[in-house]
Each structure stands twice: as C-alpha cells, then as structure tokens.
Amino acid sequence: MTRGSDRMPAEELGVLIKSAQAVLNQRMDEALRPLGLTVSQYACLQNLLDEPGITGSELARRTFVSRQSANVLLQGLERRGLIERSDDPGPRRERAIALTAEAKQLVATARDEVAAVVTRMTAPLDGARLRTLLSELAACRDALLQND
C-alpha cells in the first residue's frame, strides 16, 4: 500500500476526508455513548426532528444506511419509547414517524455533545478558513453528484 507522498493530491484528499470522517464518527460515538445513543441513532432522531413526516426511505438515505437497516434502527428507537409510528399507512404504505417528548429532550442534549466534538474539530480554523473549507467540500460533493 502506498503512503501519503506516493499519492496524487486528489487521492490524498479522498484518504484524508475518509480518515477525518472515521475519527469524527469515533469521537461522536464517544460523546453519545453516555446518552445511550449511537451515531446512527442520533442522525435518525436529528433528521426526524428537522423534518417531521420524513419517510423511512428518505431517512435511510440521510443517515447513510440501507432501508432495511433504517427499519431496524427505527424499531429499536420505538422500543425505547423515543419514536411513535402512526397506525395509518401514508405514502407508499409507510407509517408516519414522530419523536416523543423524551426523544426531543435527548436530541437537544445530544446536539450539544456533537457540537462540542465539531467545535474541537474545527478549532484550528478561523471563520474565513472554515467557510472556504465548507465551500470547497460542497464543490467536491456536487461534482460527484453531477451524473446522478
């Protein structure tokens, strides 16, 4: 396997993004564990809070898991009393999902924990550098989405 200096700059960027994502995920997991949440559960709850009525399919896309994995995730959250599913099927026979009051409080606490991790990650960057990084990463993402 080649190491850093043997890689082309674009390849090095891909490796660095993946490495940063892995460490970010690990740190978020460490911060969320005392709350009894995984990163995937947090992402699921956060998406449900941000967009009430979101479908299970869209939730799976936004949390980067398969539809089947999202359903297992939702079943676990439902057993914990963090979500409720409507009895009436909606579009494509999917039942609406809503957060419970307990889940809303948990998400607020979890959001603070995740924000602390992200603040730590971006601490070396001043405002201008952070805005530039966001813009450049969005451009890279959008380039990959052009053929979708």
Side-chain angles (χ1 to χ4, degrees):
M1 178 167 191
T2 61
R3 294 291 307 161
S5 63
D6 297 335
R7 294 187 184 117
M8 299 296 292
E11 181 184 8
E12 186 66 22
L13 175 63
V15 170
L16 186 57
I17 288 171
K18 182 60 180 168
S19 175
Q21 185 276 330
V23 175
L24 174 62
N25 193 69
Q26 179 183 357
R27 296 296 180 257
M28 287 173 57
D29 184 61
E30 291 166 357
L32 293 168
R33 192 175 303 127
L35 301 175
L37 290 175
T38 65
V39 173
S40 294
Q41 289 171 327
Y42 168 73
C44 181
L45 293 171
Q46 184 63 59
N47 275 285
L48 288 167
L49 181 67
D50 289 345
E51 192 168 334
I54 188 173
T55 66
S57 299
E58 183 60 26
L59 190 59
R61 279 189 287 280
R62 291 186 187 189
T63 55
F64 308 106
V65 299
S66 69
R67 180 139 163 45
Q68 182 178 358
S69 293
N71 194 42
V72 170
L73 187 64
L74 289 169
Q75 289 171 359
L77 293 171
E78 188 172 25
R79 278 192 301 274
R80 267 185 77 182
L82 297 174
I83 65 165
E84 297 171 338
R85 296 194 209 206
S86 167
D87 290 332
D88 301 322
R92 293 181 288 160
R93 298 173 45 172
E94 294 189 56
R95 297 185 305 159
I97 306 161
L99 295 181
T100 63
E102 178 186 352
K104 290 176 184 177
Q105 290 176 343
L106 184 61
V107 170
T109 302
R111 183 184 286 162
D112 290 342
E113 295 298 323
V114 169
V117 171
V118 173
T119 297
R120 177 180 170 197
M121 178 180 71
T122 59
L125 306 175
D126 63 26
R129 288 177 64 202
L130 181 56
R131 286 188 296 279
T132 298
L133 178 60
L134 289 168
S135 175
E136 299 299 334
L137 285 174
C140 290
R141 179 207 56 215
D142 294 348
L144 292 173
L145 290 172
Q146 282 183 353
N147 291 330
D148 286 349

